[in-house]
Amino acid sequence: MHSKQIAVEYLAPKISNPAMIFKDINIFKSILPWAKDSAKEFFETQTSKMFLTSYVDDVAPIVDEYLTNRATKMYEKAIKSQNKLFTNLCSSKKTVAWIIDRWINTFINLTSNPAYKEYIDISKIKIAFNDEISTTHSNIEDVLEFEKLQKLPKEQIIKALKFIWEDGYFDSSLDKEDIEYLCKKFDLSIKDVFGTDDLVKLNLKKEQTESGHSQLVFVF
């Protein structure tokens, strides 16, 4: 059973009054995690949208906030204009299904439609690192802006550290201790992030960037 089906069959019946979904923000928010999982499942079945699957976790908080801020207005508009949402308000199951579909459509609009007012350029969803990082831990810390990163959810920090590993924006003398240092800054171990401690053998080379500086990449 898919996430949308589970939400409709098991979550919705617990909501006696569909209108309360929009009047009680906590009820509204309880549906959003199911919408996120439903989006992943949907995108994985669509060839043209499969690439969006890897962006769901990063963009989900934005979609959640976008819809949460508009929950009351969506309900008021439904009552006033008697639109599609209005026709679904007769049933908690139909309302939950509508919200999940709306979440997915909002995600697509935000990430795929440049003409959309709140458009997000997902090609820029990554953590950028400056060129020419020195070998000192203090300089590494400055570049990574740890104070900002530490405010992120742990799963996003892990993704960020994996991104560092995969894209290799590091100093030429990088070794296991450097990576371990970065992990410890976020109260993580190498194994927590990569699932293994065997990261000793790294082969690095420099590549020149368009700006004329240099960055390092991993060569496997």
Coordinates of all heavy atoms in Angstrom, one line a residue, residues 36-37 40 56-61 127 149 151-163 186 188 192-193:
K36 N 4.8 14.1 1.4 CA 6.2 14.1 0.9 C 6.5 12.6 0.4 O 7.1 12.5 -0.6 CB 7.1 14.4 2.1 CG 8.6 14.4 1.7 CD 9.5 14.8 2.8 CE 9.7 13.5 3.7 NZ 10.8 13.7 4.7
D37 N 6.1 11.6 1.2 CA 6.4 10.3 0.8 C 5.6 9.9 -0.5 O 6.1 9.2 -1.3 CB 6.1 9.3 1.9 CG 7.0 9.4 3.1 OD1 8.1 10.0 2.9 OD2 6.6 9.0 4.2
K40 N 7.5 11.2 -3.5 CA 8.6 10.4 -3.9 C 8.1 9.2 -4.7 O 8.7 8.8 -5.7 CB 9.4 9.9 -2.6 CG 10.2 10.9 -1.9 CD 10.9 10.3 -0.7 CE 11.7 11.3 0.0 NZ 12.4 10.7 1.2
V56 N 13.3 15.8 -3.2 CA 12.1 15.9 -2.4 C 12.4 16.3 -0.9 O 11.9 17.2 -0.3 CB 11.3 14.6 -2.4 CG1 10.2 14.7 -1.3 CG2 10.7 14.4 -3.7
D57 N 13.4 15.6 -0.3 CA 13.8 15.9 1.1 C 14.3 17.3 1.2 O 14.0 17.9 2.3 CB 14.9 14.9 1.5 CG 14.3 13.5 1.7 OD1 13.1 13.4 2.0 OD2 15.1 12.6 1.6
D58 N 15.0 17.9 0.3 CA 15.5 19.2 0.4 C 14.4 20.3 0.2 O 14.4 21.3 0.9 CB 16.6 19.5 -0.7 CG 17.8 18.6 -0.5 OD1 18.3 18.5 0.7 OD2 18.4 18.1 -1.4
V59 N 13.5 20.0 -0.7 CA 12.5 21.0 -1.0 C 11.2 20.9 -0.1 O 10.5 21.9 0.1 CB 12.1 20.9 -2.5 CG1 11.0 22.0 -2.8 CG2 13.3 21.2 -3.4
A60 N 11.0 19.7 0.5 CA 9.8 19.4 1.3 C 9.5 20.5 2.3 O 8.4 20.9 2.5 CB 9.9 18.1 1.9
P61 N 10.5 21.0 3.1 CA 10.2 22.0 4.1 C 9.7 23.3 3.5 O 8.8 23.9 4.1 CB 11.6 22.2 4.8 CG 12.4 21.0 4.6 CD 11.9 20.5 3.2
I127 N 25.4 22.7 -1.3 CA 26.2 23.5 -0.4 C 27.5 23.9 -1.2 O 28.3 23.0 -1.6 CB 26.6 22.8 0.9 CG1 25.3 22.6 1.6 CG2 27.5 23.6 1.7 CD1 25.4 21.9 2.9
L149 N 25.3 25.8 9.3 CA 25.0 24.4 9.0 C 24.5 23.6 10.2 O 23.7 22.7 10.1 CB 26.3 23.7 8.4 CG 26.8 24.2 7.1 CD1 28.0 23.4 6.7 CD2 25.7 24.0 6.0
K151 N 22.4 24.4 12.3 CA 21.0 24.6 12.5 C 20.2 23.7 11.7 O 19.0 23.6 11.8 CB 20.7 26.1 12.2 CG 21.4 27.1 13.2 CD 21.0 28.5 12.8 CE 21.8 29.5 13.7 NZ 21.5 30.9 13.4
L152 N 20.8 23.0 10.7 CA 20.0 22.1 9.8 C 19.7 20.8 10.5 O 20.4 20.4 11.4 CB 20.9 21.8 8.6 CG 21.2 23.0 7.6 CD1 22.2 22.5 6.5 CD2 20.0 23.5 7.0
P153 N 18.6 20.1 10.1 CA 18.3 18.8 10.6 C 19.5 17.9 10.3 O 20.2 18.0 9.3 CB 17.1 18.4 9.8 CG 16.5 19.7 9.3 CD 17.6 20.6 9.1
K154 N 19.7 16.9 11.2 CA 20.8 16.0 11.1 C 20.9 15.3 9.7 O 22.0 15.1 9.2 CB 20.8 15.0 12.2 CG 22.0 14.0 12.2 CD 22.2 13.4 13.5 CE 22.8 14.4 14.6 NZ 23.2 13.7 15.8
E155 N 19.7 14.9 9.2 CA 19.8 14.2 7.9 C 20.3 15.1 6.8 O 20.9 14.6 5.9 CB 18.4 13.6 7.6 CG 17.3 14.6 7.3 CD 16.0 14.0 6.9 OE1 15.8 12.7 7.0 OE2 15.1 14.7 6.3
Q156 N 20.0 16.4 6.9 CA 20.5 17.3 5.9 C 22.0 17.5 6.0 O 22.7 17.7 5.0 CB 19.7 18.6 5.9 CG 18.3 18.5 5.5 CD 17.6 19.9 5.4 OE1 18.3 20.9 5.1 NE2 16.3 19.9 5.5
I157 N 22.5 17.5 7.3 CA 23.9 17.7 7.5 C 24.6 16.5 7.0 O 25.7 16.6 6.3 CB 24.2 17.8 9.0 CG1 23.6 19.1 9.6 CG2 25.7 17.7 9.3 CD1 23.7 19.3 11.0
I158 N 24.1 15.3 7.2 CA 24.7 14.0 6.6 C 24.7 14.1 5.1 O 25.7 13.8 4.5 CB 23.9 12.8 7.1 CG1 24.1 12.6 8.6 CG2 24.3 11.6 6.3 CD1 23.3 11.4 9.2
K159 N 23.7 14.6 4.5 CA 23.7 14.8 3.0 C 24.7 15.8 2.6 O 25.4 15.6 1.5 CB 22.3 15.2 2.5 CG 21.2 14.1 2.6 CD 19.9 14.7 1.9 CE 18.9 13.6 1.9 NZ 17.6 14.0 1.3
A160 N 24.9 16.8 3.4 CA 25.9 17.9 3.0 C 27.3 17.3 3.1 O 28.1 17.5 2.2 CB 25.8 19.0 4.0
L161 N 27.5 16.5 4.1 CA 28.9 15.8 4.2 C 29.1 14.8 3.1 O 30.2 14.7 2.6 CB 29.0 15.2 5.6 CG 29.0 16.1 6.8 CD1 28.9 15.4 8.1 CD2 30.3 16.9 6.8
K162 N 28.1 14.1 2.7 CA 28.2 13.2 1.6 C 28.5 14.0 0.3 O 29.2 13.5 -0.5 CB 26.9 12.4 1.5 CG 26.8 11.3 2.5 CD 25.5 10.5 2.3 CE 25.4 9.3 3.3 NZ 24.2 8.6 3.1
F163 N 27.8 15.2 0.2 CA 28.0 16.0 -1.0 C 29.5 16.4 -1.0 O 30.1 16.4 -2.1 CB 27.1 17.2 -0.9 CG 27.4 18.2 -2.0 CD1 26.8 18.0 -3.2 CD2 28.2 19.3 -1.8 CE1 27.0 18.9 -4.3 CE2 28.4 20.2 -2.9 CZ 27.8 20.0 -4.1
F186 N 29.8 18.1 13.8 CA 28.4 17.9 13.8 C 27.9 16.8 14.7 O 26.8 16.2 14.6 CB 27.8 17.7 12.4 CG 28.2 18.9 11.5 CD1 29.1 18.8 10.5 CD2 27.5 20.1 11.6 CE1 29.4 19.8 9.7 CE2 27.8 21.2 10.8 CZ 28.8 21.0 9.8
L188 N 29.0 13.7 14.7 CA 28.8 12.5 13.9 C 30.1 11.8 13.7 O 31.2 12.4 13.9 CB 28.2 12.9 12.5 CG 26.8 13.5 12.4 CD1 26.6 14.1 11.0 CD2 25.8 12.5 12.8
D192 N 28.7 7.1 10.8 CA 27.3 7.6 10.8 C 26.9 8.2 9.4 O 25.8 8.1 9.0 CB 27.2 8.8 11.8 CG 27.2 8.2 13.3 OD1 26.9 7.1 13.5 OD2 27.7 9.0 14.2
V193 N 27.9 8.8 8.8 CA 27.7 9.5 7.5 C 27.8 8.6 6.3 O 26.9 8.6 5.5 CB 28.7 10.7 7.4 CG1 28.4 11.4 6.0 CG2 28.5 11.7 8.5

